[in-house]
Short mmCIF file of all heavy atoms in Angstrom, two decimals:
data_model
loop_
_atom_site.label_atom_id
_atom_site.label_comp_id
_atom_site.label_asym_id
_atom_site.label_seq_id
_atom_site.Cartn_x
_atom_site.Cartn_y
_atom_site.Cartn_z
N VAL A 41 124.61 139.98 -64.16
CA VAL A 41 124.85 139.56 -62.78
C VAL A 41 123.59 139.78 -61.94
O VAL A 41 123.16 138.91 -61.17
CB VAL A 41 126.04 140.32 -62.18
CG1 VAL A 41 126.15 140.06 -60.68
CG2 VAL A 41 127.34 139.92 -62.88
N ALA A 42 122.99 140.97 -62.09
CA ALA A 42 121.78 141.27 -61.32
C ALA A 42 120.65 140.31 -61.69
O ALA A 42 119.91 139.85 -60.81
CB ALA A 42 121.36 142.71 -61.58
N LEU A 43 120.52 140.00 -62.97
CA LEU A 43 119.47 139.08 -63.40
C LEU A 43 119.66 137.70 -62.78
O LEU A 43 118.69 137.06 -62.37
CB LEU A 43 119.45 138.99 -64.92
CG LEU A 43 118.36 138.10 -65.53
CD1 LEU A 43 116.97 138.59 -65.12
CD2 LEU A 43 118.49 138.06 -67.05
N ALA A 44 120.90 137.26 -62.70
CA ALA A 44 121.17 135.95 -62.08
C ALA A 44 120.72 135.95 -60.62
O ALA A 44 120.13 134.98 -60.13
CB ALA A 44 122.66 135.62 -62.19
N VAL A 45 120.99 137.04 -59.90
CA VAL A 45 120.58 137.15 -58.50
C VAL A 45 119.05 137.16 -58.39
O VAL A 45 118.46 136.47 -57.54
CB VAL A 45 121.17 138.42 -57.86
CG1 VAL A 45 120.60 138.62 -56.45
CG2 VAL A 45 122.69 138.33 -57.81
N LEU A 46 118.40 137.91 -59.27
CA LEU A 46 116.94 137.99 -59.23
C LEU A 46 116.30 136.65 -59.56
O LEU A 46 115.28 136.28 -58.96
CB LEU A 46 116.45 139.08 -60.20
CG LEU A 46 116.83 140.52 -59.86
CD1 LEU A 46 116.32 141.47 -60.92
CD2 LEU A 46 116.30 140.91 -58.48
N VAL A 47 116.86 135.94 -60.52
CA VAL A 47 116.34 134.61 -60.86
C VAL A 47 116.46 133.67 -59.66
O VAL A 47 115.56 132.89 -59.36
CB VAL A 47 117.06 134.05 -62.09
CG1 VAL A 47 116.75 132.57 -62.28
CG2 VAL A 47 116.66 134.83 -63.34
N TRP A 48 117.59 133.76 -58.97
CA TRP A 48 117.79 132.91 -57.79
C TRP A 48 116.74 133.23 -56.72
O TRP A 48 116.16 132.33 -56.12
CB TRP A 48 119.19 133.10 -57.23
CG TRP A 48 119.47 132.23 -56.04
CD1 TRP A 48 119.72 130.89 -56.02
CD2 TRP A 48 119.49 132.67 -54.67
NE1 TRP A 48 119.90 130.46 -54.72
CE2 TRP A 48 119.77 131.52 -53.87
CE3 TRP A 48 119.32 133.90 -54.04
CZ2 TRP A 48 119.86 131.58 -52.49
CZ3 TRP A 48 119.41 133.96 -52.65
CH2 TRP A 48 119.68 132.81 -51.90
N LEU A 49 116.48 134.52 -56.49
CA LEU A 49 115.48 134.91 -55.51
C LEU A 49 114.06 134.60 -56.01
O LEU A 49 113.17 134.29 -55.20
CB LEU A 49 115.60 136.40 -55.20
CG LEU A 49 116.86 136.85 -54.46
CD1 LEU A 49 116.92 138.38 -54.40
CD2 LEU A 49 116.92 136.26 -53.06
N GLY A 50 113.86 134.66 -57.30
CA GLY A 50 112.52 134.46 -57.87
C GLY A 50 112.05 133.02 -57.87
O GLY A 50 110.86 132.76 -58.11
N LYS A 51 112.94 132.09 -57.60
CA LYS A 51 112.56 130.68 -57.67
C LYS A 51 111.49 130.32 -56.63
O LYS A 51 110.79 129.31 -56.77
CB LYS A 51 113.79 129.79 -57.48
CG LYS A 51 114.39 129.81 -56.08
CD LYS A 51 115.67 128.99 -56.02
CE LYS A 51 116.19 128.88 -54.58
NZ LYS A 51 116.52 130.19 -54.00
N ASP A 52 111.36 131.13 -55.58
CA ASP A 52 110.38 130.85 -54.53
C ASP A 52 109.08 131.62 -54.72
O ASP A 52 108.16 131.50 -53.89
CB ASP A 52 110.97 131.23 -53.16
CG ASP A 52 112.23 130.46 -52.84
OD1 ASP A 52 112.26 129.25 -53.12
OD2 ASP A 52 113.19 131.07 -52.32
N MET A 53 108.96 132.39 -55.78
CA MET A 53 107.78 133.23 -55.99
C MET A 53 106.71 132.47 -56.76
O MET A 53 107.00 131.59 -57.57
CB MET A 53 108.16 134.50 -56.75
CG MET A 53 109.18 135.39 -56.06
SD MET A 53 108.61 136.08 -54.49
CE MET A 53 109.57 135.13 -53.32
N THR A 54 105.46 132.85 -56.50
CA THR A 54 104.34 132.30 -57.26
C THR A 54 103.19 133.29 -57.18
O THR A 54 103.33 134.39 -56.62
CB THR A 54 103.93 130.93 -56.71
OG1 THR A 54 102.97 130.34 -57.61
CG2 THR A 54 103.32 131.03 -55.32
N PHE A 55 102.04 132.94 -57.73
CA PHE A 55 100.90 133.85 -57.78
C PHE A 55 100.45 134.21 -56.37
O PHE A 55 100.30 133.34 -55.50
CB PHE A 55 99.76 133.20 -58.56
CG PHE A 55 100.12 132.85 -59.96
CD1 PHE A 55 100.49 131.55 -60.29
CD2 PHE A 55 100.10 133.81 -60.96
CE1 PHE A 55 100.84 131.23 -61.59
CE2 PHE A 55 100.45 133.50 -62.26
CZ PHE A 55 100.83 132.20 -62.57
N TYR A 56 100.20 135.50 -56.17
CA TYR A 56 99.93 136.00 -54.82
C TYR A 56 98.94 137.17 -54.84
O TYR A 56 99.01 138.05 -55.70
CB TYR A 56 101.26 136.42 -54.16
CG TYR A 56 101.11 137.22 -52.89
CD1 TYR A 56 100.65 136.63 -51.73
CD2 TYR A 56 101.43 138.58 -52.86
CE1 TYR A 56 100.50 137.37 -50.56
CE2 TYR A 56 101.29 139.32 -51.70
CZ TYR A 56 100.83 138.71 -50.55
OH TYR A 56 100.68 139.43 -49.40
N HIS A 57 97.99 137.16 -53.93
CA HIS A 57 97.10 138.28 -53.60
C HIS A 57 96.42 138.89 -54.84
O HIS A 57 95.57 138.23 -55.45
CB HIS A 57 97.86 139.32 -52.82
CG HIS A 57 96.97 140.25 -52.02
ND1 HIS A 57 95.62 140.06 -51.88
CD2 HIS A 57 97.25 141.38 -51.32
CE1 HIS A 57 95.10 141.01 -51.13
NE2 HIS A 57 96.08 141.83 -50.77
N ASP A 58 96.79 140.12 -55.22
CA ASP A 58 96.08 140.84 -56.28
C ASP A 58 96.07 140.06 -57.60
O ASP A 58 95.15 140.25 -58.41
CB ASP A 58 96.73 142.21 -56.52
CG ASP A 58 96.58 143.14 -55.33
OD1 ASP A 58 97.27 142.91 -54.33
OD2 ASP A 58 95.80 144.08 -55.42
N GLU A 59 97.07 139.24 -57.82
CA GLU A 59 97.10 138.48 -59.07
C GLU A 59 95.89 137.58 -59.22
O GLU A 59 95.39 137.36 -60.33
CB GLU A 59 98.38 137.64 -59.14
CG GLU A 59 99.61 138.50 -59.40
CD GLU A 59 100.90 137.74 -59.25
OE1 GLU A 59 101.11 137.13 -58.18
OE2 GLU A 59 101.71 137.76 -60.19
N TRP A 60 95.37 137.06 -58.10
CA TRP A 60 94.20 136.21 -58.18
C TRP A 60 92.96 136.99 -58.62
O TRP A 60 92.07 136.43 -59.27
CB TRP A 60 93.97 135.53 -56.83
CG TRP A 60 95.02 134.50 -56.53
CD1 TRP A 60 96.07 134.62 -55.67
CD2 TRP A 60 95.14 133.21 -57.14
NE1 TRP A 60 96.84 133.48 -55.70
CE2 TRP A 60 96.29 132.60 -56.59
CE3 TRP A 60 94.39 132.51 -58.09
CZ2 TRP A 60 96.70 131.33 -56.96
CZ3 TRP A 60 94.79 131.24 -58.47
CH2 TRP A 60 95.94 130.66 -57.90
N ALA A 61 92.91 138.27 -58.28
CA ALA A 61 91.80 139.09 -58.76
C ALA A 61 91.84 139.22 -60.28
O ALA A 61 90.80 139.17 -60.95
CB ALA A 61 91.85 140.47 -58.11
N LEU A 62 93.05 139.38 -60.84
CA LEU A 62 93.19 139.45 -62.30
C LEU A 62 92.85 138.10 -62.93
O LEU A 62 92.21 138.04 -63.99
CB LEU A 62 94.61 139.84 -62.68
CG LEU A 62 95.11 141.23 -62.26
CD1 LEU A 62 96.49 141.49 -62.85
CD2 LEU A 62 94.14 142.31 -62.71
N ILE A 63 93.27 137.03 -62.29
CA ILE A 63 93.07 135.70 -62.86
C ILE A 63 91.60 135.29 -62.85
O ILE A 63 91.07 134.74 -63.83
CB ILE A 63 93.92 134.66 -62.08
CG1 ILE A 63 95.40 134.92 -62.31
CG2 ILE A 63 93.55 133.23 -62.48
CD1 ILE A 63 96.32 134.16 -61.38
N LEU A 64 90.90 135.59 -61.75
CA LEU A 64 89.54 135.09 -61.56
C LEU A 64 88.45 136.06 -62.00
O LEU A 64 87.35 135.63 -62.35
CB LEU A 64 89.33 134.73 -60.09
CG LEU A 64 90.24 133.63 -59.52
CD1 LEU A 64 90.00 133.48 -58.03
CD2 LEU A 64 90.03 132.31 -60.24
N LYS A 65 88.74 137.36 -61.97
CA LYS A 65 87.66 138.33 -62.14
C LYS A 65 87.78 139.18 -63.41
O LYS A 65 86.89 140.00 -63.68
CB LYS A 65 87.61 139.26 -60.93
CG LYS A 65 87.34 138.55 -59.62
CD LYS A 65 87.32 139.54 -58.45
CE LYS A 65 87.07 138.84 -57.12
NZ LYS A 65 87.07 139.79 -55.98
N ARG A 66 88.85 139.02 -64.16
CA ARG A 66 89.04 139.86 -65.34
C ARG A 66 88.96 139.04 -66.63
O ARG A 66 89.34 137.87 -66.66
CB ARG A 66 90.38 140.58 -65.28
CG ARG A 66 90.53 141.57 -64.13
CD ARG A 66 89.56 142.74 -64.26
NE ARG A 66 89.80 143.73 -63.23
CZ ARG A 66 90.03 145.01 -63.49
NH1 ARG A 66 90.03 145.46 -64.72
NH2 ARG A 66 90.24 145.85 -62.50
N ASP A 67 88.48 139.68 -67.68
CA ASP A 67 88.51 139.09 -69.01
C ASP A 67 88.88 140.18 -69.99
O ASP A 67 89.24 141.29 -69.60
CB ASP A 67 87.16 138.45 -69.35
CG ASP A 67 86.00 139.43 -69.22
OD1 ASP A 67 86.20 140.65 -69.44
OD2 ASP A 67 84.88 139.01 -68.88
N LEU A 68 88.82 139.87 -71.28
CA LEU A 68 89.22 140.83 -72.30
C LEU A 68 88.05 141.64 -72.85
O LEU A 68 88.14 142.20 -73.94
CB LEU A 68 89.95 140.11 -73.44
CG LEU A 68 91.32 139.53 -73.05
CD1 LEU A 68 91.96 138.79 -74.23
CD2 LEU A 68 92.25 140.62 -72.55
N SER A 69 86.95 141.69 -72.11
CA SER A 69 85.87 142.60 -72.47
C SER A 69 86.29 144.03 -72.14
O SER A 69 87.28 144.26 -71.43
CB SER A 69 84.60 142.25 -71.71
OG SER A 69 84.78 142.50 -70.32
N LEU A 70 85.54 145.00 -72.64
CA LEU A 70 85.88 146.39 -72.40
C LEU A 70 85.86 146.70 -70.89
O LEU A 70 86.78 147.35 -70.37
CB LEU A 70 84.90 147.30 -73.13
CG LEU A 70 85.34 148.76 -73.34
CD1 LEU A 70 86.62 148.81 -74.17
CD2 LEU A 70 84.23 149.56 -74.02
N ASP A 71 84.83 146.21 -70.21
CA ASP A 71 84.76 146.44 -68.77
C ASP A 71 85.87 145.69 -68.04
O ASP A 71 86.43 146.21 -67.06
CB ASP A 71 83.40 145.98 -68.22
CG ASP A 71 82.27 146.91 -68.63
OD1 ASP A 71 82.57 148.05 -69.05
OD2 ASP A 71 81.10 146.51 -68.53
N GLY A 72 86.18 144.49 -68.49
CA GLY A 72 87.24 143.71 -67.85
C GLY A 72 88.59 144.38 -67.94
O GLY A 72 89.40 144.29 -67.02
N ILE A 73 88.82 145.08 -69.04
CA ILE A 73 90.12 145.74 -69.25
C ILE A 73 90.16 147.10 -68.55
O ILE A 73 91.18 147.46 -67.95
CB ILE A 73 90.40 145.91 -70.76
CG1 ILE A 73 90.59 144.54 -71.41
CG2 ILE A 73 91.61 146.79 -71.00
CD1 ILE A 73 90.67 144.59 -72.92
N LEU A 74 89.08 147.85 -68.61
CA LEU A 74 89.12 149.25 -68.18
C LEU A 74 88.63 149.51 -66.76
O LEU A 74 88.88 150.59 -66.22
CB LEU A 74 88.30 150.11 -69.15
CG LEU A 74 88.83 150.18 -70.58
CD1 LEU A 74 87.92 151.05 -71.44
CD2 LEU A 74 90.25 150.71 -70.62
N ALA A 75 87.95 148.55 -66.14
CA ALA A 75 87.52 148.78 -64.76
C ALA A 75 88.75 148.96 -63.87
O ALA A 75 89.75 148.25 -64.03
CB ALA A 75 86.70 147.58 -64.28
N PRO A 76 88.73 149.91 -62.94
CA PRO A 76 89.92 150.16 -62.12
C PRO A 76 90.21 149.02 -61.16
O PRO A 76 89.29 148.36 -60.66
CB PRO A 76 89.56 151.44 -61.37
CG PRO A 76 88.06 151.46 -61.34
CD PRO A 76 87.62 150.83 -62.62
N HIS A 77 91.48 148.78 -60.93
CA HIS A 77 91.89 147.87 -59.87
C HIS A 77 92.30 148.76 -58.70
O HIS A 77 93.30 149.47 -58.77
CB HIS A 77 93.07 147.01 -60.30
CG HIS A 77 93.52 146.06 -59.23
ND1 HIS A 77 92.87 144.87 -58.98
CD2 HIS A 77 94.52 146.13 -58.33
CE1 HIS A 77 93.46 144.25 -57.97
NE2 HIS A 77 94.47 145.00 -57.56
N ASN A 78 91.55 148.72 -57.60
CA ASN A 78 91.60 149.76 -56.59
C ASN A 78 91.34 151.08 -57.32
O ASN A 78 90.31 151.23 -57.96
CB ASN A 78 92.92 149.75 -55.84
CG ASN A 78 93.11 148.48 -55.03
OD1 ASN A 78 92.14 147.91 -54.55
ND2 ASN A 78 94.34 148.05 -54.88
N GLU A 79 92.25 152.03 -57.29
CA GLU A 79 92.00 153.28 -58.03
C GLU A 79 92.75 153.36 -59.34
O GLU A 79 92.71 154.38 -60.03
CB GLU A 79 92.38 154.49 -57.16
CG GLU A 79 93.87 154.68 -56.94
CD GLU A 79 94.42 153.94 -55.73
OE1 GLU A 79 93.87 152.88 -55.40
OE2 GLU A 79 95.39 154.44 -55.14
N HIS A 80 93.44 152.29 -59.73
CA HIS A 80 94.35 152.33 -60.88
C HIS A 80 93.70 151.82 -62.16
O HIS A 80 92.96 150.83 -62.15
CB HIS A 80 95.59 151.50 -60.60
CG HIS A 80 96.43 152.01 -59.48
ND1 HIS A 80 97.31 153.07 -59.64
CD2 HIS A 80 96.53 151.63 -58.19
CE1 HIS A 80 97.91 153.30 -58.49
NE2 HIS A 80 97.46 152.44 -57.59
N LEU A 81 94.03 152.47 -63.26
CA LEU A 81 93.79 151.90 -64.59
C LEU A 81 94.93 150.92 -64.85
O LEU A 81 96.09 151.30 -64.88
CB LEU A 81 93.79 153.00 -65.65
CG LEU A 81 93.80 152.55 -67.11
CD1 LEU A 81 92.58 151.68 -67.42
CD2 LEU A 81 93.85 153.76 -68.04
N SER A 82 94.60 149.64 -65.00
CA SER A 82 95.61 148.59 -65.15
C SER A 82 95.39 147.80 -66.43
O SER A 82 95.60 146.59 -66.48
CB SER A 82 95.58 147.65 -63.93
OG SER A 82 95.76 148.36 -62.73
N ALA A 83 94.99 148.50 -67.48
CA ALA A 83 94.59 147.83 -68.72
C ALA A 83 95.70 146.97 -69.29
O ALA A 83 95.47 145.82 -69.72
CB ALA A 83 94.15 148.87 -69.75
N THR A 84 96.93 147.49 -69.36
CA THR A 84 98.01 146.72 -69.98
C THR A 84 98.35 145.47 -69.16
O THR A 84 98.69 144.43 -69.72
CB THR A 84 99.28 147.57 -70.14
OG1 THR A 84 99.67 148.08 -68.85
CG2 THR A 84 99.04 148.74 -71.07
N VAL A 85 98.23 145.57 -67.83
CA VAL A 85 98.51 144.42 -66.98
C VAL A 85 97.42 143.37 -67.14
O VAL A 85 97.70 142.16 -67.18
CB VAL A 85 98.65 144.84 -65.51
CG1 VAL A 85 99.00 143.65 -64.62
CG2 VAL A 85 99.71 145.93 -65.36
N VAL A 86 96.17 143.80 -67.21
CA VAL A 86 95.07 142.86 -67.44
C VAL A 86 95.28 142.12 -68.76
O VAL A 86 95.16 140.88 -68.83
CB VAL A 86 93.72 143.60 -67.46
CG1 VAL A 86 92.60 142.66 -67.90
CG2 VAL A 86 93.41 144.18 -66.08
N ILE A 87 95.61 142.85 -69.81
CA ILE A 87 95.83 142.22 -71.12
C ILE A 87 97.00 141.26 -71.05
O ILE A 87 96.94 140.13 -71.58
CB ILE A 87 96.06 143.30 -72.19
CG1 ILE A 87 94.78 144.12 -72.40
CG2 ILE A 87 96.51 142.67 -73.50
CD1 ILE A 87 94.97 145.34 -73.28
N LEU A 88 98.09 141.67 -70.40
CA LEU A 88 99.26 140.81 -70.26
C LEU A 88 98.89 139.50 -69.59
O LEU A 88 99.24 138.40 -70.07
CB LEU A 88 100.35 141.53 -69.45
CG LEU A 88 101.55 140.68 -69.04
CD1 LEU A 88 102.35 140.25 -70.27
CD2 LEU A 88 102.44 141.43 -68.05
N TYR A 89 98.19 139.56 -68.47
CA TYR A 89 97.83 138.34 -67.74
C TYR A 89 96.87 137.47 -68.54
O TYR A 89 97.00 136.23 -68.54
CB TYR A 89 97.24 138.70 -66.38
CG TYR A 89 98.28 138.79 -65.29
CD1 TYR A 89 99.19 139.84 -65.25
CD2 TYR A 89 98.38 137.82 -64.30
CE1 TYR A 89 100.16 139.92 -64.26
CE2 TYR A 89 99.33 137.89 -63.30
CZ TYR A 89 100.24 138.94 -63.29
OH TYR A 89 101.20 139.01 -62.31
N ARG A 90 95.90 138.08 -69.20
CA ARG A 90 94.96 137.27 -69.97
C ARG A 90 95.66 136.58 -71.14
O ARG A 90 95.36 135.42 -71.46
CB ARG A 90 93.81 138.13 -70.50
CG ARG A 90 92.94 138.82 -69.47
CD ARG A 90 92.61 138.00 -68.26
NE ARG A 90 91.98 136.70 -68.55
CZ ARG A 90 91.63 135.83 -67.62
NH1 ARG A 90 91.84 136.11 -66.34
NH2 ARG A 90 91.06 134.70 -67.96
N VAL A 91 96.60 137.27 -71.78
CA VAL A 91 97.34 136.66 -72.89
C VAL A 91 98.22 135.51 -72.37
O VAL A 91 98.25 134.42 -72.95
CB VAL A 91 98.20 137.71 -73.61
CG1 VAL A 91 99.18 137.04 -74.58
CG2 VAL A 91 97.30 138.68 -74.37
N LEU A 92 98.93 135.73 -71.27
CA LEU A 92 99.78 134.68 -70.72
C LEU A 92 98.95 133.51 -70.22
O LEU A 92 99.33 132.34 -70.41
CB LEU A 92 100.64 135.24 -69.59
CG LEU A 92 101.77 136.20 -70.00
CD1 LEU A 92 102.50 136.73 -68.77
CD2 LEU A 92 102.75 135.51 -70.93
N LEU A 93 97.81 133.78 -69.60
CA LEU A 93 96.95 132.69 -69.13
C LEU A 93 96.41 131.88 -70.30
O LEU A 93 96.27 130.65 -70.21
CB LEU A 93 95.79 133.26 -68.31
CG LEU A 93 96.14 133.79 -66.92
CD1 LEU A 93 94.96 134.58 -66.34
CD2 LEU A 93 96.51 132.64 -65.99
N GLY A 94 96.10 132.56 -71.41
CA GLY A 94 95.55 131.87 -72.56
C GLY A 94 96.57 131.10 -73.37
O GLY A 94 96.21 130.17 -74.12
N THR A 95 97.84 131.45 -73.24
CA THR A 95 98.88 130.80 -74.04
C THR A 95 99.78 129.87 -73.23
O THR A 95 100.16 128.80 -73.70
CB THR A 95 99.76 131.85 -74.74
OG1 THR A 95 100.31 132.73 -73.74
CG2 THR A 95 98.95 132.66 -75.74
N ILE A 96 100.11 130.28 -72.03
CA ILE A 96 101.05 129.52 -71.21
C ILE A 96 100.37 128.87 -70.02
O ILE A 96 100.75 127.81 -69.57
CB ILE A 96 102.20 130.44 -70.73
CG1 ILE A 96 102.97 130.98 -71.93
CG2 ILE A 96 103.14 129.69 -69.79
CD1 ILE A 96 103.97 132.05 -71.58
N GLY A 97 99.32 129.52 -69.53
CA GLY A 97 98.62 129.00 -68.37
C GLY A 97 99.30 129.37 -67.06
O GLY A 97 100.06 130.33 -66.99
N MET A 98 99.05 128.56 -66.05
CA MET A 98 99.58 128.83 -64.71
C MET A 98 100.57 127.76 -64.26
O MET A 98 100.87 127.65 -63.06
CB MET A 98 98.42 128.94 -63.71
CG MET A 98 97.46 130.08 -63.99
SD MET A 98 96.10 130.17 -62.78
CE MET A 98 96.99 130.46 -61.26
#
Side-chain angles (χ1 to χ4, degrees):
V41 171
L43 182 59
V45 173
L46 294 178
V47 168
W48 181 75
L49 293 172
K51 69 184 187 299
D52 300 318
M53 300 296 107
T54 189
F55 300 98
Y56 168 70
H57 201 7
D58 294 73
E59 287 171 306
W60 290 104
L62 296 185
I63 293 168
L64 299 175
K65 299 179 181 179
R66 296 295 186 125
D67 55 31
L68 292 178
S69 67
L70 198 60
D71 288 343
I73 294 172
L74 295 179
H77 180 80
N78 295 329
E79 72 271 31
H80 296 280
L81 170 59
S82 304
T84 57
V85 182
V86 172
I87 293 171
L88 171 66
Y89 269 71
R90 299 320 305 180
V91 169
L92 289 177
L93 288 168
T95 56
I96 298 171
M98 297 180 62

